[in-house]
Amino acid sequence: MAVKNFETLNTSTDITTTRTLLHEAIPLTGTIVSGTYYETRKPTGDTNIKNYSHGMFQSVYDYPYLSSSANHIFDISIGYANSSGLSSSANEQNGKKINIYNMMAQSLLGYDVSGNIETFESDLDLSDNDNQMLEVCFINFSRLLTKDQIKKGSFSLQLGTGSWASPFATGPGYGITLTDLSASDDSGINPNVVAGEYGLLYNSPFTASAVGAVFYQAGVAVITASVFSSASLPSAYPVNKQFLKDQASTLYGVTGAFKELPISSSCDAIRRRLYNLSFNNTTELNSTVYFCRAASTNFNYSANPTYTTGSKLRVKSVASDTPVSYITTVGLYNSNNELLAVAKLSEPLKKDPTNEITLRVRLDY
Amino acid sequence: MAFLDNSGDIILDAVLTETGRRRMAAGKFKISKFALSDDEINYALYNKNHPSGSTYADLEILQTPILEATTEVNLYTGLLSLSNLNILYMPELLQNEKLNGDAVKQKNNTIYVSVNSETQAAIDTGFGSGYNVLAGQTGGGSAIVLESCINNADVSMTSTNQDSYIVSTNMLDTSLSVTFNTNFITYPLGIASTATFANNTDGSWAGSIGTLSSITSLSPSERDDFSTATATMVKAGVYTQEGATVDATAYVKSSGIVGSMTAINIAVDPALTTTTGQTADSRWSKFGSTGQSITSLAGTYSTLPTSLELMTDNSGATLMLPITLIKQDTTS
């Protein structure tokens, strides 16, 4: 049934637009990433980890990935630059490790003035080619988690740096926390890369210099492999030689793992050492707010068939009684009387000539 | 479609309709006006004589749970902006079944619209005349007659009451919007402004519907596959006449004064008008029923239920009129 009475919205006073940033806390515990869905009878162990035949990265789900209930939460991979000292044609998946590094670098950083692919650096100045991170781990978060971007200054990643058998052993230096606490909307970031903005990840208090970068809009964390080596940790720490243990029970340091084992093995080791990961995501809401103003003299009667009985208003006894109606729904129309949006009130709102009501209908995009 | 949480502050739950999404996809999403509705409200719950006092009259109404907004919706019961705050009676829209020869009567709780003369003849034979209209017929048969009226005997059928209860309150209807399903109905037909609905001082009928004409100026409705046309309504002159032998209630359904009246018919898609022996359009089987036996009618029939949504211009009176398109399939 068509509606008889409309009120025109004044475009200068009744319609306004707003931009709101919504943040959600995203806590990921290490047990989700490694352990919770471990099945010994499965060749790959964790049933929420998807490996691919190409072997270039692993996908991590929050539930066994064959289930329709599973959500993809992030991908993990490693790589090194062609100029890395680790690069060697004799390495396992050497080409793929270089390809991953280059692909991520060109997608996140872009190219230098000579057209060469940039190199990841643990500082905010890409032009000087110092503090280069030539061997790195990548954690690529799903848009499901990051939404529009990771909130600057909210990223925190706890990694265990104990032995393979006890990655989270307690003691000074066992376990590092990488954060981007120095980053904010207007400082501590490099906004001049192709993927948007990145901030630096610090392993405070053990290192004064950064050990990684987080790309906020792309939702990617890049961590130098040296966090698992003596360069940033006391040399006595077992991670130096026990970064991972393969199926033959051979122990590898991070250098050996990057060189001699496939990408998926290093991914397994990193997952095993992931203790906690958290950040706040950001959703940008662009809203149009329509102020629907019901003046005192308007909308006091109803075309509702129950409004009358025998043509007499149910809400009146005599003609001089105040008419009353109850608002439950707002319809927003275009000039052709097409109903474009509907808003429902959570409870009926009494309308009579003694009051004026402004209903604020917000549509988010 | 769940209920909205009404335990705290009043919130607004807003969604784009299907139409809104399509307009947005086409880059033509521009909201320019709003309307208010009270869809879930049952005013029968308004208790003017609440034992705790008039403050509690709307206690139950205010506790009405409200459903979530959905994308395929319509505002069925719009709120009205009437400047006169002293209105006690509001016109209703009724289907008139009393104007012999002019007004079609409902049968089986519907108005049968015969899609061809063969079917009309069969129905006239079975039900008697006046129980169906012939689609597209402009005159010489029954039409759907409607009256906008104060359906209350307290407001007697006098010219004075018509002026004071309807005309002076700006609720004399001059047009009727007819919303219909364009899958079956092509356009409605309506009266000319010269049509009359009146009785003489001796009580006899003085009205003349005249010839109906096609209303082909259509506007899109709020919903897909529906269009709206505007039909003319004319001020009625049906009054109680002193000493008359025929009471005015013989001509109108209303118990009280009638404000305006009109008569309409509908034209259907020509593809639906096939006669017995011809191949019927697939819409009969897709949207309706075929090969039905109907009590009192010889042969079998295809029927296709639809409705006309009617609303008057000034009083906002509404009526959902059940329509059944009918076609004879076999004669025996």
Side-chain angles (χ1 to χ4, degrees), chain A residues 5-18:
Chain A
N5 286 115
F6 298 98
E7 282 295 313
T8 302
L9 292 162
N10 184 320
T11 52
S12 59
T13 59
D14 296 339
I15 303 175
T16 186
T17 57
T18 61

Side-chain angles (χ1 to χ4, degrees), chain B residues 103-169:
Chain B
V104 67
K105 301 180 188 70
Q106 290 194 18
K107 189 77 175 178
N108 301 328
N109 296 318
T110 188
I111 296 172
Y112 284 111
V113 176
S114 299
V115 297
N116 53 42
S117 53
E118 172 189 59
T119 306
Q120 184 187 36
I123 294 177
D124 283 346
T125 303
F127 290 159
S129 64
Y131 286 98
N132 75 110
V133 294
L134 177 62
Q137 189 173 34
T138 57
S142 298
I144 301 167
V145 178
L146 300 153
E147 51 190 59
S148 169
C149 56
I150 305 291
N151 186 22
N152 192 310
D154 292 345
V155 185
S156 57
M157 297 184 190
T158 66
S159 174
T160 305
N161 280 346
Q162 190 182 45
D163 283 340
S164 57
Y165 284 93
I166 297 178
V167 178
S168 66
T169 56

Side-chain angles (χ1 to χ4, degrees), chain A residues 165-281:
Chain A
S166 302
F168 307 120
T170 56
Y174 284 87
I176 56 176
T177 301
L178 309 183
T179 66
D180 68 336
L181 292 176
S182 61
S184 66
D185 282 333
D186 51 10
S187 66
I189 56 170
N190 182 345
N192 300 313
V193 292
V194 293
E197 300 164 322
Y198 76 85
L200 299 177
L201 293 172
Y202 289 91
N203 173 23
S204 178
F206 294 104
T207 57
S209 59
V211 292
V214 55
F215 291 79
Y216 297 108
Q217 289 78 23
V220 177
V222 182
I223 302 155
T224 177
S226 65
V227 297
F228 300 111
S229 72
S230 58
S232 58
L233 295 169
S235 59
Y237 290 166
V239 68
N240 285 323
K241 293 184 178 177
Q242 297 185 26
F243 175 63
L244 71 81
K245 184 168 71 175
D246 69 4
Q247 291 183 336
S249 296
T250 305
L251 288 165
Y252 293 83
V254 67
T255 300
F258 268 48
K259 287 168 66 77
E260 299 169 33
L261 296 177
I263 292 171
S264 61
S265 296
S266 294
C267 294
D268 289 341
I270 295 165
R271 284 192 297 105
R272 186 179 173 87
R273 292 171 180 284
L274 200 156
Y275 188 71
N276 263 328
L277 196 165
S278 67
F279 59 85
N280 285 3
N281 70 19

Side-chain angles (χ1 to χ4, degrees), chain A residues 61-88:
Chain A
Y61 290 77
D62 64 354
Y63 198 67
Y65 67 84
L66 290 176
S67 166
S68 59
S69 301
N71 295 299
H72 178 214
I73 52 178
F74 63 81
D75 295 318
I76 188 165
S77 186
I78 63 146
Y80 45 69
N82 197 29
S83 58
S84 164
L86 299 187
S87 176
S88 165

Side-chain angles (χ1 to χ4, degrees), chain A residues 1-2, chain B residues 74 76 113 144 176-190 213-231 264-269 272 283 304-311 319-325:
Chain A
M1 204 77 72
Chain B
N74 199 356
Y76 285 100
V113 176
I144 301 167
L176 176 77
S177 73
V178 183
T179 301
F180 55 92
N181 191 324
T182 53
N183 284 316
F184 320 120
I185 300 170
T186 49
Y187 53 81
L189 297 91
S213 55
S214 306
I215 308 169
T216 54
S217 175
L218 308 179
S219 56
S221 178
E222 296 172 359
R223 285 170 293 160
D224 293 336
D225 299 327
F226 281 77
S227 285
T228 299
T230 302
I264 59 173
N265 193 357
I266 55 172
V268 300
D269 187 337
L272 294 171
R283 282 172 287 183
L304 207 161
T306 181
S307 64
L308 297 179
E309 298 172 9
L310 309 172
M311 186 175 73
L319 182 64
M320 182 86 81
L321 210 55
I323 298 287
T324 298
L325 306 184

